[in-house]
Amino acid sequence: MPRILRDPFRPVTYSRWLHLCVPFLLLAVWMFIEPEWPWMPLLIVIPFAFLPWVRLAEGLQAQFLLTPQLDRSAESGISTTPSVRWADRWRTLLWLELRLVVAGAAWAATVWLPAMTVELIAVAMGHPLNGNPFMPFTPPRWVAVLLVPVPVVVLLVTVVLLGHLITALARRLLGPSAAERLTALEARTEQLLERTRIARELHDSIGHALTVAVVQAGAARAANDPAFTDRALNAIEETGRAALEDLERVLLVLRESSRAPSQRPTLVEADRLLASARASGAAVDAELSGPLAELPGPVTREGYRILQEALTNVLRHCGPVPVRVRVDVGPGRLVLEVSNPLPEGPQIMTGNGSGLRGIKERAALLGGDAETGPHEGGWRVRARLPLERIR
């Protein structure tokens, strides 16, 4: 069905009609005061256009009546904020003037066309017309019978077309300014970055826990030693519990974005990662030096995740091999280094490199850099994070 035929059956058509009828009050009151100057309301609204709250009120009314099916300003294309700049005030002035003009056309159609329908019915029933202003001529009775539905159809078409026109004008003149669009874009960018960070958090934390669990389970089955199996189950339990805590923190951000999530793990808790790796069978030689507790929040949190991802990659791709961990807090920088020998046999698991890419992205986000790759016959992950820029 063509759109012009569907629109008369849509509720939004009549909410737009109501929006066009609102200025009738001002026009009607003025016609009682001075009917010889019907254009005077166009001058009356000029000073109101420069009041900041008028743009807010017009935007809320337009959004509620012109686009009721769209809840948010970003979807409706109509801003609901007060005027801030003079460009907003001039656009509001143009909107008020054009709204009065379009409302005047809607008023004329709303009054004249139904009255014409009544007069045509009267002519069709044989009643004479005596100088009625709504009927400039008197058609024959049979013609009047055929013309009775025409004004109603014309009124519906007029209401639909004027509704589309006033909505387009509202989106053009009450739509967000360049500054508002930039602010919305920045907010959208921040939202996307937050989603990316949450996805990375889940990858690092849950991926680490699953890797440890898989390695522990495989080692326990191969060892066939009850004592080792008991230690492996304890390590799986602790790693799983820590992963659940991390998952709860992420879900808290998703459920209640306005509420600050609990503190994410930091390098002060690095012993938890090292113990988990040792419990998985890896011989970890760790050396942590410097004031880890005094590191800036972003550095210590991202450093923990880098260390976690590096250890996870060792267990995932090389199994329980010797691992050398160095964390050094020096003047103006934090250096994390994880190195391990490459196994002679086939790798236990393979990956698509997303973990190593995440390490480099985390380092770059803080203005640092990360190197991953073969080094002296083994594999090394080395990240350098600056401290001065973060404080």
Side-chain angles (χ1 to χ4, degrees):
M1 181 184 295
R3 184 175 180 180
I4 192 66
L5 299 180
R6 294 197 309 267
D7 282 345
F9 302 98
R10 300 172 61 205
V12 68
T13 297
Y14 302 97
S15 67
R16 291 172 177 175
W17 191 4
L18 177 61
H19 183 271
L20 291 170
C21 292
V22 171
F24 286 7
L25 179 61
L26 176 60
L27 295 174
V29 170
W30 182 255
M31 292 302 292
F32 279 108
I33 298 175
E34 188 57 67
E36 295 183 0
W37 293 353
W39 45 266
M40 185 56 71
L42 296 174
L43 300 180
I44 294 176
V45 300
I46 291 178
F48 293 96
F50 298 99
L51 299 176
W53 58 266
V54 171
R55 183 176 181 82
L56 169 62
E58 289 292 322
L60 290 172
Q61 185 184 137
Q63 186 177 345
F64 181 72
L65 294 177
L66 299 182
T67 58
Q69 71 277 21
L70 302 175
D71 297 331
R72 295 178 297 179
S73 300
E75 295 177 350
S76 65
I78 299 173
S79 177
T80 54
T81 58
S83 299
V84 177
R85 297 171 175 80
W86 278 103
D88 298 335
R89 295 180 174 88
W90 287 113
R91 292 168 67 203
T92 304
L93 173 59
L94 183 57
W95 158 255
L96 292 177
E97 299 291 347
L98 292 177
R99 184 183 179 188
L100 283 174
V101 173
V102 178
W107 184 16
T110 301
V111 173
W112 180 55
L113 292 173
M116 181 179 290
T117 300
V118 173
E119 297 300 336
L120 287 172
I121 294 174
V123 173
M125 296 177 63
H127 297 287
L129 297 179
N130 298 316
N132 195 302
F134 297 106
M135 288 291 295
F137 64 95
T138 304
R141 292 183 60 183
W142 66 272
V143 175
V145 172
L146 297 176
L147 293 178
V148 165
V150 173
V152 177
V153 173
V154 173
L155 176 60
L156 289 176
V157 172
T158 302
V159 168
V160 169
L161 295 179
L162 291 180
H164 286 302
L165 175 61
I166 198 66
T167 303
L169 290 174
R171 286 173 171 157
R172 179 67 177 175
L173 299 175
L174 296 179
S177 63
E180 292 171 339
R181 286 195 295 270
L182 180 60
T183 301
L185 180 60
E186 291 176 348
R188 176 62 176 167
T189 302
E190 289 295 328
Q191 184 182 29
L192 292 176
L193 289 175
E194 179 66 11
R195 290 182 179 180
T196 302
R197 186 191 64 77
I198 290 174
R200 187 180 292 125
E201 293 283 340
L202 286 175
H203 170 270
D204 291 348
S205 180
I206 307 304
H208 172 78
L210 291 177
T211 298
V212 170
V214 170
V215 173
Q216 288 278 13
R221 183 175 58 182
N224 196 22
D225 179 0
F228 184 86
T229 300
D230 186 61
R231 291 196 301 272
L233 290 176
N234 288 334
I236 292 174
E237 180 184 3
E238 294 207 358
T239 304
R241 186 179 293 111
L244 287 176
E245 292 175 0
D246 289 342
L247 181 60
E248 183 61 29
R249 277 189 283 266
V250 173
L251 292 179
L252 182 62
V253 174
L254 294 176
R255 292 191 191 115
E256 303 179 45
S257 58
S258 61
R259 179 180 169 186
S262 57
Q263 185 67 34
R264 288 186 286 151
T266 65
L267 282 175
V268 176
E269 306 169 64
D271 288 342
R272 189 177 80 178
L273 289 178
L274 302 177
S276 177
R278 291 189 179 104
S280 298
V284 180
D285 173 20
E287 180 181 333
L288 286 71
S289 60
L292 296 178
E294 299 178 8
L295 287 173
V299 173
T300 188
R301 288 191 295 267
E302 296 303 320
Y304 179 94
R305 291 307 186 191
I306 290 174
L307 179 59
Q308 182 182 53
E309 182 60 32
L311 291 173
T312 299
N313 283 337
V314 172
L315 294 173
R316 178 183 295 135
H317 299 293
C318 301
V321 298
V323 183
R324 183 175 180 269
V325 176
R326 295 291 182 268
V327 179
D328 178 33
V329 180
R333 81 320 177 242
L334 167 67
V335 179
L336 296 97
E337 182 176 315
V338 178
S339 57
N340 61 276
L342 294 174
E344 297 180 358
Q347 295 179 353
I348 295 177
M349 297 178 65
T350 59
N352 57 10
S354 60
L356 298 180
R357 183 169 62 249
I359 290 176
K360 295 179 179 179
E361 290 175 354
R362 288 180 183 276
L365 187 64
L366 297 175
D369 61 87
E371 302 172 358
T372 61
H375 178 73
E376 297 181 355
W379 187 271
R380 185 182 71 169
V381 173
R382 179 181 174 87
R384 292 180 293 270
L385 307 179
L387 302 183
E388 289 89 349
R389 304 179 190 176
I390 308 298
R391 293 188 184 276

